[in-house]
Amino acid sequence: MESMEHIAEAVIACRKCPRLVEFRESLRPRYRNGEGWCKPVPGSGTNPAGLLVVGLAPAIGGANRTGRILTGDKTSDFLFSCLHEKGFSNLPYSRSRDDGLQYSNIFLTAAVKCVPPDNKPMREEVENCLPFLRQEIETLKGLKAILALGRLAHESVLRTILPDGSRKTGFPFSHGRRYRIGGIDLYCSYHPSPRNVNTGTLTREMFLKVLEEIKEKSLFS
Ligand code: SF4
């Protein structure tokens, strides 16, 4: 079995998707004060971890800038204010790699490890990145629940945990749904993007309810 450190090294060195390699590096001039990670972003958190959170991909103003997944933008502000309230982190925000954040029983990653133009990875790019997600899931000890943020993350997780990885019918994405697959509870949530939050598609109460259910039904049952 790989270690998380080895997986992270392989992720950071990856150049498998030419379009994404070009795009992530082209963003460097946008960033100021020496910021700008502009490389693939590996997962981050504890191992063991009872809960794995899977997002879509690094964002231009978030992880592609800061170098830590779900860090440095409005999405991470929303996410960590909720994770902190439910005891998964010592801080109610995740702003930079040296902000003092400590995780508790949680690992976070993305289905696609490089920032895609318009937040839309191509099918073959999702395919290329699946082995990293699979390795992370296989390497996490004590995993009881996976929370997929959005449809693409949900379908990517299904591809990695179903016995026949290509079958994903029968487990439709729907906010708040829970599926029991191979001893792991897979939960669905709308992605906490500014668009979903600002339009009320995803409210704080909705997201906290999912986290509470994860704790009650999967982590401490
Ligand atoms: S998206 Fe994944 S597979 Fe493609 S270059 Fe980035 S790390 Fe590699």
Side-chain angles (χ1 to χ4, degrees):
M1 184 185 286
E2 294 273 4
S3 72
M4 277 302 179
E5 289 75 20
H6 284 133
I7 296 169
E9 283 173 18
V11 167
I12 292 169
C14 184
R15 301 180 68 84
K16 200 168 181 181
C17 308
R19 185 182 79 115
L20 299 188
V21 171
E22 184 180 349
F23 183 63
R24 74 194 189 206
E25 294 176 356
S26 76
L27 296 166
R28 189 173 296 285
R30 286 185 180 221
Y31 305 122
R32 302 187 188 283
N33 305 323
E35 284 189 319
W37 174 256
C38 302
K39 291 180 271 191
V41 182
S44 188
T46 64
N47 189 16
L51 173 61
L52 170 65
V53 176
V54 181
L56 166 60
I60 292 176
N64 192 64
R65 177 174 67 85
T66 62
R68 190 174 68 193
I69 200 64
L70 290 160
T71 295
D73 59 7
K74 297 261 187 241
T75 296
S76 59
D77 285 346
F78 178 96
L79 181 66
F80 273 87
S81 75
C82 296
L83 290 176
H84 174 68
E85 182 164 328
K86 294 299 175 185
F88 290 104
S89 69
N90 68 326
L91 298 175
Y93 53 80
S94 170
R95 298 203 173 132
S96 69
R97 280 182 292 152
D98 59 1
D99 59 7
L101 177 69
Q102 291 176 11
Y103 305 94
S104 179
N105 200 28
I106 190 171
F107 193 90
L108 301 100
T109 194
V112 175
K113 312 297 197 227
C114 291
V115 57
D118 300 321
N119 287 325
K120 288 185 182 139
M122 295 165 63
R123 186 186 298 258
E124 70 184 67
E125 293 161 350
V126 176
E127 197 71 29
N128 287 345
C129 225
L130 269 185
F132 288 134
L133 179 61
R134 185 172 292 116
Q135 288 171 20
E136 288 169 329
I137 290 173
E138 289 173 354
T139 302
L140 271 180
K141 301 181 189 80
L143 183 61
K144 294 184 175 170
I146 300 176
L147 173 58
L149 304 178
R151 187 182 304 275
L152 190 146
H154 175 70
E155 293 183 352
S156 294
V157 171
L158 284 175
R159 296 281 305 282
T160 65
I161 66 174
L162 284 174
D164 172 359
S166 64
R167 282 189 298 114
K168 51 184 169 42
T169 56
F171 305 94
F173 176 83
S174 173
H175 180 86
R177 286 293 298 269
R178 172 170 60 113
Y179 299 104
R180 182 87 177 155
I181 303 171
I184 293 174
D185 290 328
L186 171 58
Y187 291 81
C188 310
S189 170
Y190 294 131
H191 192 283
S193 63
R195 187 173 62 176
N196 282 342
V197 172
N198 292 340
T199 58
T201 302
L202 179 66
T203 65
R204 183 177 170 79
E205 290 67 33
M206 287 165 68
F207 196 72
L208 288 172
K209 190 174 172 199
V210 174
L211 292 178
E212 190 56 39
E213 190 177 336
I214 289 172
K215 290 183 74 169
E216 279 183 11
K217 296 189 175 167
S218 302
L219 301 189
F220 302 118
S221 61

